[in-house]
Amino acid sequence: MTQITTTETQARPELVARPGTWGSRLATGLATPGGAVFVLVGVLLVSIMISNPNFTEPGALIRFAGRTAPIAIVAMGQYYVIVSGEFDLSMAAVITTQVVLAGNFIGQDEGRIIPGLLLMLVVGVLIGLVNGLATTLLKVPSFIVTLGTMLALTGLVRYITGGAATGNPVDSFRQIGRGGIEDVPVVGIIPYPVIILLVLCVASVWLMRRPFGRTLVAVGDNPDAAHYSGTPLWWIKTRAFILSALSATVAGILLVGYAGVHPSVGMGYEFSAITAVVLGGVLLGGGRGWVLSAAAGAFALELLFLLLTSLGVPSTWRDTVQGLIIIAAVALAARAWQGARRPRRAVPKNSERPSTNQPDPGTTTGEI
């Protein structure tokens, strides 16, 4: 027995989870699909600065970050659903619903701001709960469930508004989306959307390091193994849909600030969010990807559109570019993550250990 143990110890290769130095860890991270998007953001940023020198001003950069914050927040919400192996096509309709709700419920009454915010959050939770339960308990594909939710909410909003702008929230409520901390050195102002985005980024990284985040990635990587391990799949995925709807709610609150109240607010955000997520290297089908990479994908997407505009490319090409990005990013991410899987540890023939056919666990936990 001692001889077998000694042989196993000598034959077992050392598992190095991370390279030794900070620089090598950074290089390894940037070589993955989730890390490459940060390099892409840097390249696009430099390209825009060259083509448009006005963009080099700190004030212009911070204002761009403020305008991009809502789509980055939506992309992080979409990340939770996609990394679990599902889709959420209802995000744009949730944004529109929340915008119209804010305009009509809050109106010009400042006393309704707090109740209005609470009502919007409750509505977001209920929408996410319905999407999650219909997907997990009723076994309806999430694509169909969220598509139905999108159509139902869109029809409801059009019925209430008649397809025209209605309601106008009090200016103090709109300051959440268009205001900021003023008289800041160098940048002049720090928009509230940027502050909210940073807070949500920190919260998201913390959440993905918690058991919920690790389990969410494991469910997307191998739902059967997660099920047999006793993981409540229905509750894990339902919470992902709730987080997705809540992120759309937060984006809706911010968009009221500078986009106003109109049934078209938020239109197309679901596809922009999916594009940002896959551009951030998150694998469609689940199990691979980082939450911050999804947010970075939103910035890369907006920087790309800004670069195309500065180069004189018509805005009508925007949807075409998004479609091509989705196809290319999904193909590249799938190949890259496949190559990044950790090889199985070899078991010596003379170790007399029983062989197993258990799948490899996921190699990512949602953080860099």
Side-chain angles (χ1 to χ4, degrees), residues 265-278:
V265 175
M267 183 178 298
Y269 261 54
E270 71 274 39
F271 299 113
S272 295
I274 293 174
T275 306
V277 170
V278 298

Side-chain angles (χ1 to χ4, degrees), residues 90-321:
S90 66
M91 301 190 79
V94 174
I95 292 175
T96 305
T97 302
Q98 301 289 21
V99 167
V100 172
L101 177 61
N104 287 271
F105 179 81
I106 297 176
Q108 295 298 307
D109 187 355
E110 290 192 356
R112 289 192 172 190
I113 292 179
I114 299 301
L117 288 172
L118 294 176
L119 178 61
M120 295 171 73
L121 293 175
V122 170
V123 170
V125 170
L126 290 177
I127 293 174
L129 188 64
V130 170
N131 285 339
L133 295 180
T135 299
T136 57
L137 298 185
L138 299 182
K139 306 299 182 182
V140 181
S142 59
F143 183 90
I144 301 300
V145 171
T146 55
L147 178 62
T149 302
M150 177 188 71
L151 295 174
L153 292 177
T154 301
L156 178 62
V157 168
R158 289 179 178 175
Y159 173 77
I160 294 174
T161 63
T166 177
N168 185 23
V170 64
D171 189 66
S172 55
F173 176 81
R174 300 189 66 180
Q175 284 297 313
I176 300 175
R178 65 184 180 187
I181 301 176
E182 300 180 354
D183 300 325
V184 178
V186 182
V187 297
I189 184 173
I190 300 179
Y192 292 137
V194 173
I195 298 174
I196 293 173
L197 173 62
L198 291 177
V199 171
L200 292 180
C201 284
V202 173
S204 296
V205 172
W206 175 83
L207 183 62
M208 293 308 296
R209 288 177 179 268
R210 302 294 296 169
F212 165 75
R214 298 179 185 276
T215 304
L216 188 69
V217 175
V219 167
D221 184 41
N222 194 328
D224 291 333
H227 172 71
Y228 289 122
S229 68
T231 301
L233 298 184
W234 72 273
W235 182 227
I236 293 293
K237 289 191 175 185
T238 298
R239 279 188 283 176
F241 279 103
I242 292 175
L243 289 173
S244 177
L246 285 176
S247 68
T249 299
V250 174
I253 294 171
L254 299 180
L255 288 173
V256 171
Y258 60 87
V261 178
H262 195 277
S264 64
V265 175
M267 183 178 298
Y269 261 54
E270 71 274 39
F271 299 113
S272 295
I274 293 174
T275 306
V277 170
V278 298
L279 186 60
V282 181
L283 186 64
L284 291 183
R288 298 291 185 276
W290 300 332
V291 64
L292 292 186
S293 297
F299 279 90
L301 184 64
E302 293 302 308
L303 285 170
L304 176 60
F305 291 146
L306 188 60
L307 178 61
L308 294 177
T309 301
S310 66
L311 295 177
V313 178
S315 60
T316 51
W317 285 98
R318 183 175 181 132
D319 292 340
T320 302
V321 171

